[in-house]
Amino acid sequence: GNSVTQMEGPVTLSEEAFLTINCTYTATGYPSLFWYVQYPGEGLQLLLKATKADDKGSNKGFEATYRKETTSFHLEKGSVQVSDSAVYFCALSRYGNKLVFGAGTILRVKS
Amino acid sequence: EAGVAQSPRYKIIEKRQSVAFWCNPISGHATLYWYQQILGQGPKLLIQFQNNGVVDDSQLPKDRFSAERLKGVDSTLKIQPAKLEDSAVYLCASSSLGTGGPIQYFGAGTRLSVL
């Protein structure tokens, strides 16, 4: 079946450090890929998405590239801020149906 | 544009009691989802509606969980009787067709504690 694997957290970084959160997926066909973010006490918010191979999704300084050959969709940001502290979820969807999520990665950014 | 509304935000019940959660999707969104998010895990789909019809309820524990979406707008998720393992956040999402496919928008969730 379809599944998503994320690197385990928590990830703790100093402000302005480079961020990478690894995400790999298993799916039949060509799923759409997503990163969602969950700030404390809030619901999930879409951060970025990519719908086909080699697409790059980007938003708020975060980027991720859909790599079909490595079945990966790693999240990166060049310089994190304290306000980026949250839980990040990688997810996939086929044909616009249910999202299949990874377990989530907690990011803590220290000032 | 108003987001997905859920209530209540928090609920504490004892095992074997019943509980109901309510969701109002974004206006005009035909598809509505209920997810269960257990602490430390990613959300998992319980049920998906298209208008007022069920598209996918394969992961819904039908012996205790039920859901309905009357008139294709609001939805209610019910648990009866609740078990300790039902303690989780219940998330409602709705979607519309966007560039590259539907985008799901989530409510803030209902945190359920079963004692």
Side-chain angles (χ1 to χ4, degrees):
Chain A
N2 300 327
S3 66
V4 174
T5 303
Q6 290 182 236
M7 65 185 288
E8 289 191 17
V11 174
T12 303
L13 297 173
S14 297
E15 212 166 18
E16 299 184 3
F18 185 85
L19 168 70
T20 299
I21 300 177
N22 291 337
C23 170
T24 57
Y25 68 90
T26 301
T28 54
Y30 304 98
S32 295
L33 300 175
F34 304 83
W35 278 100
Y36 277 81
V37 59
Q38 190 172 36
Y39 298 103
E42 299 184 16
L44 289 163
Q45 300 176 26
L46 178 64
L47 182 58
L48 53 84
K49 68 179 179 73
T51 57
K52 59 183 187 296
D54 300 324
D55 266 2
K56 177 185 284 188
S58 62
N59 186 26
K60 300 180 181 179
F62 290 89
E63 292 183 341
T65 302
Y66 190 141
R67 301 289 188 198
K68 182 174 177 295
E69 63 276 14
T70 55
T71 62
S72 65
F73 192 54
H74 305 321
L75 182 68
E76 297 182 335
K77 186 176 186 183
S79 176
V80 294
Q81 306 299 313
V82 171
S83 58
D84 293 327
S85 298
V87 184
Y88 292 81
F89 291 92
C90 185
L92 67 81
S93 175
R94 297 193 66 233
Y95 308 123
N97 287 319
K98 68 178 181 183
L99 286 163
V100 176
F101 287 90
T105 302
I106 297 172
L107 172 65
R108 296 181 179 138
V109 181
K110 304 179 299 183
S111 59
Chain B
E1 179 182 74
V4 176
Q6 290 189 247
S7 66
R9 285 298 308 275
Y10 305 94
K11 191 73 177 177
I12 300 174
I13 62 173
E14 295 188 351
K15 60 184 179 184
R16 291 188 290 272
Q17 287 187 324
S18 63
V19 64
F21 313 127
W22 174 81
C23 173
N24 187 295
I26 294 173
S27 177
H29 283 195
T31 309
L32 185 147
Y33 313 79
W34 283 101
Y35 290 85
Q36 180 192 57
Q37 184 178 14
I38 293 172
L39 187 64
Q41 299 180 20
K44 290 182 172 57
L45 182 76
L46 290 174
I47 189 167
Q48 176 183 344
F49 291 95
Q50 179 75 19
N51 295 309
N52 60 350
V54 175
V55 174
D56 183 354
D57 65 355
S58 57
Q59 299 301 307
L60 187 73
K62 299 180 186 65
D63 58 334
R64 298 184 300 105
F65 286 65
S66 64
E68 60 182 7
R69 190 181 184 198
L70 298 176
K71 301 181 181 179
V73 182
D74 292 10
S75 178
T76 302
L77 177 70
K78 296 180 182 177
I79 308 175
Q80 182 179 11
K83 292 185 175 181
L84 296 176
E85 59 260 36
D86 298 332
S87 294
V89 176
Y90 291 84
L91 296 166
C92 179
S94 66
S95 69
S96 67
L97 193 63
T99 302
I103 301 296
Q104 293 187 30
Y105 297 86
F106 285 81
T110 296
R111 183 177 297 276
L112 174 67
S113 297
V114 182
L115 307 178

